Amino acid sequence: MLINHPLLGLRDSSEFIYMGDAKLMNRPSWRSKNIKSKFIEYGYFRKNPAGIHKELWYHEQGDRSWLVVTRNTVTHEILKVELARNLKRKVNAK
Amino acid sequence: MKYSGFKVLWEGLSGNKGWKPLWRNPSPKKSYDIIIVGGGGHGLATAYYLSNKFNITNIAVVEKGWLGSGNIGKNTTIIRSNYLLPQNQPFYEFSLKLWENLEQELNYNSMVSQRGVLNIFHSDSQRDAFVRRGNAMLMSGADASLLGVDELKKLVPFLDFQNSRFPIKGGLWQQRGGTVRHDAVAWGYAKKADSRGVDIIENCEVTNFLVKNGRCFGVETTKGIIKSKKIGVCVAGSSSEVMGKIGINLPIESHVLQAFVSEGLKPLIPGVITFGAGHFYVSQSNKGGLVFGGDIDGYNSYAQRGNLPVIEDVCEGGVALMPMIGRARLLRAWGGIMDMSMDGSPIIDKTEIKNLYFNGGWCYGGFKATPASGFCYAHLLATGKPHKDAKDFLFNRFEKGRLIDEKGQGNQPNLH
Ligand SMILES: Cc1cc2nc3c(=O)[nH]c(=O)nc-3n(C[C@H](O)[C@H](O)[C@H](O)COP(=O)(O)OP(=O)(O)OC[C@H]3O[C@@H](n4cnc5c(N)ncnc54)[C@H](O)[C@@H]3O)c2cc1C
């Protein structure tokens, strides 16, 4: 699989470390209600769809950026690649 | 149909006209006492133990494809009971004991071959860890012995003992481990379950569950609605997809694991050998091909095929351990979808929906577990209580913090 890195262009997926479901970017606040069940959900449970999946890839053997890759888990087709920090900034700005 | 030496002789003399299909091809009835969703090894074993040990025979096994089309027909066939943790090891030893009698019990040759499993170690600290593991095995009633370099040189002289980066210091040996002809396991269980009246319904996909007031009472399938008092899901790599149909989220990710077979070679590799410094395990099939594998590809996948980097990595591991295979040609490679749980251990449990049960999260070690998984799941379905050797394989271990983390690496879905 080739990942079209927003800054570096096409890179081989073996340069990256896969970190799974991009929901990991949304760590629950320690102050929120039902904190226990939220953290159990965050730590252990995954949607794991057959189809479109948003996931985190860390460019360890490259520029060490975190990417959010939208990929089809049935075909391995990569549909979109974004810098995780840009997405997070957008969420925080809201 | 009963197999025997006499039967083989008789059929040989009478033109082989008396062999019959091993199971019927029934249409689904309106209702059953128990429906097993998924006709892989675990589903069929469950149906066999329910019908033959727990005397429940009004059962259907509903399988999306043909029997044996899942991981039961795709794995690298290794069986062993060399686990460390007390929640795991007695279960796998129970499984190995069931393997030892399986062929007589099923009257079916599944080529159970206890040719031994050898885990190589390369450093002093790894040796300590293997001694500890060996002791845990002995305490569960399994067999284990520690082999030094001299013994290894006699048993497997072709290893690269002098490898300057990963010199070989010894190995943990389990003689009772070995290999089994994987799809014959599915066929044997199917044959014996069928002979007790279990309906095995192939090419029938479960598309939804019938649930009312928090109780499950049947399934919707591509062959219509089938009702049942209890429903046991057992679909391995499709676990999240199937349970997702009624909104149950699982601590599981689906990943692809590849397996490889070389061209046929003369008898060469005595048992199963695993590399301790990379991920590579190998055995030799009765046809002569080297059967080997390594790590999962490492990203969520339902594609049933992997990518090149892992093929390279596995082959590099193989050549580092036994340089002699460097010129053997790779004939075939394929991938299967694994239900990777967040602590590397399985789940055999009730669900939050009444009468709906779940068996999954086997990662890439579920083949060896087939008999015990079937037995323990049958126990749960028949009695409502977990079997004593599977009592820790519960959903609530994640919230209780009682993970069964064999590798001690914390929650991540790439363990086994
Ligand atoms: C390459 C590879 C190598 C492996 N090597 C080993 C090994 O050496 N040792 C070991 O112990 N384990 C090994 N494993 C793991 C082992 O094969 C699996 O853990 C085990 O087979 C899973 O259980 P099963 O046999 O019931 O799965 P499967 O055979 O996959 O059964 C699940 C069944 O459910 C069916 N299904 C799915 N969805 C539906 C639906 N909606 N309705 C009806 N049916 C459905 C599928 O068609 C499938 O037949 C390996 C796996 C792979 C892929």
Side-chain angles (χ1 to χ4, degrees):
Chain A
M1 283 190 297
L2 293 174
I3 296 180
N4 196 0
H5 191 300
L7 305 174
L8 304 173
L10 287 176
R11 308 301 312 176
D12 194 290
S13 65
S14 60
E15 291 175 7
F16 292 79
I17 290 184
Y18 178 77
M19 293 300 289
D21 197 330
K23 81 162 193 180
L24 291 173
M25 285 167 67
N26 307 319
R27 186 184 165 98
S29 152
W30 61 273
R31 287 198 211 96
S32 57
K33 278 191 192 140
N34 303 327
I35 185 66
K36 188 177 158 200
S37 63
K38 275 194 186 142
F39 264 102
I40 293 165
E41 176 72 29
Y42 176 79
Y44 300 114
F45 288 80
R46 301 287 184 265
K47 281 272 182 295
N48 190 22
I52 306 299
H53 190 228
K54 271 188 184 289
E55 53 205 21
L56 291 167
W57 292 76
Y58 175 57
H59 200 191
E60 195 192 35
Q61 290 177 46
D63 71 344
R64 303 207 164 185
S65 57
W66 287 86
L67 304 184
V68 174
V69 175
T70 310
R71 192 176 56 97
N72 186 334
T73 59
V74 180
T75 61
H76 294 169
E77 186 189 2
I78 293 175
L79 304 162
K80 200 172 182 189
V81 184
E82 296 153 283
L83 282 172
R85 65 162 185 257
N86 289 354
L87 286 178
K88 193 72 186 170
R89 275 187 195 135
K90 263 188 223 156
V91 173
N92 290 349
K94 267 187 201 158
Chain B
M1 189 169 59
K2 189 146 171 60
Y3 290 101
S4 65
F6 176 74
K7 174 94 176 155
V8 172
L9 266 181
W10 173 253
E11 288 298 333
L13 293 173
S14 61
N16 286 309
K17 294 203 178 88
W19 303 115
K20 295 202 183 64
L22 294 184
W23 57 91
R24 297 160 295 134
N25 187 10
S27 313
K29 291 194 270 183
K30 283 218 165 57
S31 78
Y32 291 91
D33 289 340
I34 298 181
I35 290 177
I36 306 291
V37 183
H42 293 212
L44 293 165
T46 308
Y48 162 74
Y49 290 110
L50 277 169
S51 54
N52 284 264
K53 304 281 165 188
F54 293 90
N55 271 323
I56 302 175
T57 54
N58 186 21
I59 302 176
V61 178
V62 180
E63 164 55 45
K64 170 171 81 171
W66 71 91
L67 204 139
S69 58
N71 291 339
I72 188 67
K74 294 198 181 100
N75 62 69
T76 41
T77 78
I78 301 165
I79 62 166
R80 55 188 170 89
S81 65
N82 57 2
Y83 283 66
L84 174 70
L85 298 180
Q87 299 96 322
N88 275 332
Q89 176 57 15
F91 172 85
Y92 287 102
E93 176 55 19
F94 175 46
S95 206
L96 195 52
K97 291 217 169 75
L98 291 173
W99 281 118
E100 288 174 325
N101 276 321
L102 194 72
E103 295 167 298
Q104 295 306 322
E105 217 180 300
L106 300 180
N107 178 238
Y108 199 73
N109 180 8
S110 30
M111 294 159 65
V112 177
S113 164
Q114 293 181 293
R115 52 183 74 178
V117 172
L118 178 66
N119 302 129
I120 304 286
F121 54 81
H122 307 264
S123 66
D124 290 349
S125 54
Q126 215 175 11
R127 180 178 192 278
D128 290 347
F130 278 21
V131 168
R132 181 174 173 219
R133 177 182 296 262
N135 285 335
M137 290 161 67
L138 292 174
M139 277 160 66
S140 75
D143 63 309
S145 47
L146 204 69
L147 303 185
V149 174
D150 290 346
E151 287 154 299
L152 283 190
K153 279 191 172 154
K154 275 182 220 137
L155 185 68
V156 280
F158 47 80
L159 298 186
D160 187 9
F161 288 90
Q162 301 307 327
N163 188 309
S164 46
R165 189 149 172 233
F166 304 116
I168 290 172
K169 302 268 178 153
L172 180 64
W173 171 248
Q174 183 175 35
Q175 176 65 61
R176 286 165 60 246
T179 58
V180 181
R181 171 73 197 272
H182 49 12
D183 32 24
V185 175
W187 301 331
Y189 275 128
K191 160 180 175 280
K192 202 71 181 194
D194 175 272
S195 72
R196 290 280 285 167
V198 172
D199 282 353
I200 295 168
I201 302 160
E202 293 172 83
N203 301 311
C204 179
E205 180 176 354
V206 168
T207 51
N208 214 337
F209 296 90
L210 304 172
V211 180
K212 205 172 166 190
N213 301 330
R215 282 168 184 270
C216 188
F217 60 96
V219 289
E220 274 172 29
T221 74
T222 46
K223 292 189 175 174
I225 283 181
I226 316 176
K227 293 196 174 160
S228 179
K229 291 182 191 146
K230 290 178 183 170
I231 293 92
V233 174
C234 203
V235 293
S238 306
S239 291
S240 297
E241 278 294 294
V242 170
M243 299 307 279
K245 294 186 196 302
I246 35 160
I248 294 185
N249 214 357
L250 298 174
I252 287 177
E253 276 184 11
S254 294
H255 284 251
V256 58
L257 176 68
Q258 304 192 60
F260 310 93
V261 176
S262 78
E263 60 191 322
L265 303 170
K266 285 183 180 172
L268 189 65
I269 296 193
V272 177
I273 305 175
T274 73
F275 186 29
H279 205 161
F280 171 80
Y281 49 86
V282 62
S283 64
Q284 190 167 19
S285 81
N286 293 358
K287 283 191 287 187
L290 303 182
V291 181
F292 56 99
D295 274 325
I296 52 175
D297 271 44
Y299 40 81
N300 287 43
S301 176
Y302 286 88
Q304 307 223 40
R305 62 184 157 72
N307 278 305
L308 203 55
V310 165
I311 303 183
E312 281 175 353
D313 184 62
V314 171
C315 291
E316 280 165 11
V319 174
L321 182 67
M322 41 181 87
M324 68 168 180
I325 63 172
R327 297 186 61 185
R329 274 161 293 197
L330 187 63
L331 277 196
R332 295 188 291 135
W334 63 90
I337 303 306
M338 321 304 327
D339 34 341
M340 304 299 295
S341 68
M342 290 304 262
D343 61 355
S345 296
I347 295 160
I348 305 178
D349 200 0
K350 298 175 181 175
T351 66
E352 61 205 50
I353 294 175
K354 219 169 163 352
N355 304 330
L356 182 64
Y357 297 75
F358 178 77
N359 175 325
W362 290 98
C363 304
Y364 42 119
F367 176 65
K368 71 178 88 68
T370 306
S373 164
F375 196 101
C376 295
Y377 202 25
H379 186 279
L380 177 70
L381 283 160
T383 68
K385 296 198 184 69
H387 184 273
K388 70 174 172 46
D389 290 328
K391 66 176 178 351
D392 298 302
F393 297 158
L394 304 180
F395 276 114
N396 71 10
R397 69 172 185 265
F398 297 96
E399 69 180 73
K400 303 260 183 213
R402 294 194 199 122
L403 301 197
I404 310 174
D405 179 3
E406 192 65 36
K407 276 196 175 172
Q409 289 188 341
N411 57 320
Q412 47 175 314
N414 58 2
L415 310 166
H416 83 297

